[in-house]
Amino acid sequence: MSGRPRILVTNDDGYSAEGIQVLAEALEDVGEVWVVAPDSEQSAVSHALTMERPLRVRSVGERRYVVDGTPTDCVTLGISKLMNGSPPDVVVSGINRGANMGVDVHYSGTVSAAFEGVILGAPAIAVSQIVGEGMSWDAAGAVARELTDWILDHGLPKDTLLNVNVPLTEPRGLKLTRLGVRRYTEGVLKQKDPRGRTIYWIGGGEPVWERIPGTDFNEVGEGWTSVTPLHLDMTDTAFLEELQAAEPPWVRLNDRA
Ligand code: MN
């Protein structure tokens, strides 16, 4: 690699969130850091792309940009325009305030921003920190630096990112994991507003997870940092082959036309 590697940093908690400041600082040793981040909280926006209005970008320092859009908008603008049209060597998203494990990766703006990097041809990492009393960003910053450095040397397979979750307490070390399974969540609160009308709040309860060894939830719960490789292609290959072998009648619908 000629010159310093170029690193695109983004998040979904917004530019002023503590986690992204820690991440940008941690990665300065590894390469030239470009920060392109949303101007406001964008958690749980998934892979939303803003297409029905223009986007505005504010330059807030050297290689530092704030966008009035989503995490995916930030990566798209960063790669296509702000980084002078040449793609970064790696995209690092985070450090998210809160876990992104199991099915939650589908809601996560943090993980989706990393996937946008993958779609646009850059290897990517998403880093999340479990929050609670006594939390620190230090371990997450250190693991982000170590993994970014490794990826810059080794690359990642096509269409793959690393999803990292750091436990609340000082990690015992790293574990390679797969996505866990959420068992039950008291997800929606039904209440009355001050005028007596019914309102609903999504995301009110504490998640409960299956204790399956080898999953991100389980290992993070036991004090390890989890590293889960995620693939962009969600095709269920096993079931595809099963369907092809079974030849259900609707497979040949086109032949009857
Ligand atoms: Mn977030």
Side-chain angles (χ1 to χ4, degrees), residues 11-13 41-44 96-98 100 109-110:
N11 75 347
D12 76 357
D13 296 335
E41 168 73 46
Q42 297 286 319
S43 293
N96 188 60
R97 188 179 174 79
N100 279 307
T110 306

Side-chain angles (χ1 to χ4, degrees), residues 100-223:
N100 279 307
M101 304 189 285
V103 293
D104 282 350
V105 300
H106 290 283
Y107 305 96
S108 169
T110 306
V111 175
S112 293
F115 265 132
E116 187 63 17
V118 166
I119 288 170
L120 298 178
I125 316 174
V127 185
S128 302
Q129 170 66 52
I130 281 66
V131 294
E133 201 166 330
M135 68 164 286
S136 157
W137 298 102
D138 296 347
V143 74
R145 179 168 50 222
E146 191 174 340
L147 290 180
T148 301
D149 202 29
W150 185 84
I151 285 175
L152 287 168
D153 279 345
H154 296 85
L156 284 176
K158 188 179 180 310
D159 294 347
T160 298
L161 63 78
L162 296 182
N163 184 44
V164 180
N165 281 272
V166 181
L168 179 58
T169 50
E170 179 66 25
R172 297 161 71 183
L174 267 73
K175 285 244 176 156
L176 293 167
T177 50
R178 59 201 162 85
L179 293 177
V181 179
R182 178 157 53 190
R183 179 148 45 100
Y184 177 69
T185 303
E186 193 70 51
V188 182
L189 296 176
K190 184 180 180 184
Q191 298 174 334
K192 296 285 186 191
D193 77 5
R195 298 201 170 89
R197 294 172 299 205
T198 300
I199 54 170
Y200 298 90
W201 284 98
I202 291 177
E206 275 297 307
V208 179
W209 308 98
E210 302 265 7
R211 306 294 289 176
I212 306 168
T215 61
D216 47 12
F217 286 113
N218 198 69
E219 305 309 333
V220 169
E222 311 240 312

